Amino acid sequence: MLTLERVWKSYKVGTFGGRELVAVRDVSFSVGPGEVVSLIGESGSGKSTIGRMVLRLNSISRGAINFQGRDVSRLRGNALREYYRQVQGVFQDPFSSYNPIFKADRVLAMVRDQFFPEVKPATWWERVDSTLASVRLDPAQVRNKYPHQLSGGQLQRMLIARALLLDIDLLVADEVISMLDASTRIDVLNLLADLKARGLGVLFVTHDLALGNYISTKTVILRKGVAVEMGDTGKVFANP
Ligand code: ADP
Ligand code: ADP
């Protein structure tokens, strides 16, 4: 489904002939349907850069990212729009993905307006309520709320609900539980595990080895931009 082929990323840092910082070096791996691939490394190892390149938030310096056989860098117009119907990201800060002036209802209505205008409103709101319930949110409690009136865990679950409404194929989850309290963390983590069961692919970005081991089917270990280890999670974590 998603394939990275010898992907490099360098950032220009400093002004006037400043140097290049190579953040990702020659990284290749893939994420298939029903696969949770964890991308593990310490801070600065290039994890978020990879997530952002997949989400088209950063350009790629060398190599290619393909999604369902198409070169992600070349997507334009409707093809890019369709890509964002299929691929979504959730990040560390639950608030960062919300516009503070929109209530939850508005966000969910926009999904219909932008991607499913043919679905009748009554049908849409039934779909919304069952999707919210499936991520264990009470529709009556959250639909009429602004982001600041919801907890971090509720906001992350709302984003996952939004992704499910879009019927995405791939979720990029970048440190999504780092800012949540302990009781909510496990809820959101188990929700990501449910996505695997529904056949979605998940790219799970984390600095936490144990989390990666808990959730993923495949593991990629990054060190200074290099994929130093890669394989089935059971094998990567097995004692040598
Ligand atoms: P991680 O997610 O593993 O913490 P990042 O992908 O955020 O790593 O960063 C990898 C390297 O790239 C780091 O050295 C970081 O400072 C650098 N970097 C990240 N984003 C930028 C940017 N926009 N401009 C310049 N350097 C960046
Ligand atoms: P640079 O390429 O200068 O390091 P970035 O990686 O931040 O800069 O990308 C610059 C901008 O280009 C991003 O903010 C993004 O909106 C846009 N962009 C990212 N990927 C692509 C792509 N594949 N094709 C066209 N534009 C892209």
Side-chain angles (χ1 to χ4, degrees), residues 181-220:
D181 56 67
S183 61
T184 322
R185 282 179 163 213
I186 196 79
D187 277 351
V188 171
L189 210 53
N190 287 335
L191 202 54
L192 294 175
D194 289 349
L195 299 184
K196 170 170 67 176
R198 294 187 192 218
L200 273 77
V202 180
L203 181 59
F204 185 76
V205 174
T206 184
H207 64 278
D208 189 329
L209 281 168
L211 272 187
N213 190 17
Y214 177 73
I215 197 169
S216 65
T217 48
K218 259 171 42 179
T219 294
V220 178

Side-chain angles (χ1 to χ4, degrees), residues 11-13 21-24 41-50 52 58 174-175 205 222:
Y11 293 106
K12 286 174 198 71
V13 289
L21 185 152
V22 181
V24 175
E42 56 189 44
S43 175
S45 58
K47 308 180 297 293
S48 295
T49 297
I50 291 176
R52 287 198 303 267
N58 277 140
D174 186 349
E175 303 280 5
V205 174
L222 270 189

Side-chain angles (χ1 to χ4, degrees), residues 1 25-26 43 68 74 81 105 107 122-124 176 214 231:
M1 178 168 57
R25 291 176 189 269
D26 208 11
S43 175
Q68 296 178 349
R74 293 176 189 278
R81 206 174 101 98
D105 260 353
V107 172
T123 312
W124 180 252
V176 289
Y214 177 73

Side-chain angles (χ1 to χ4, degrees), residues 95-104 107 145-149:
F95 286 97
S96 63
S97 304
Y98 290 89
N99 186 328
I101 66 169
F102 292 163
K103 289 182 177 175
V107 172
K145 296 275 174 28
Y146 288 105
H148 74 269
Q149 296 173 307

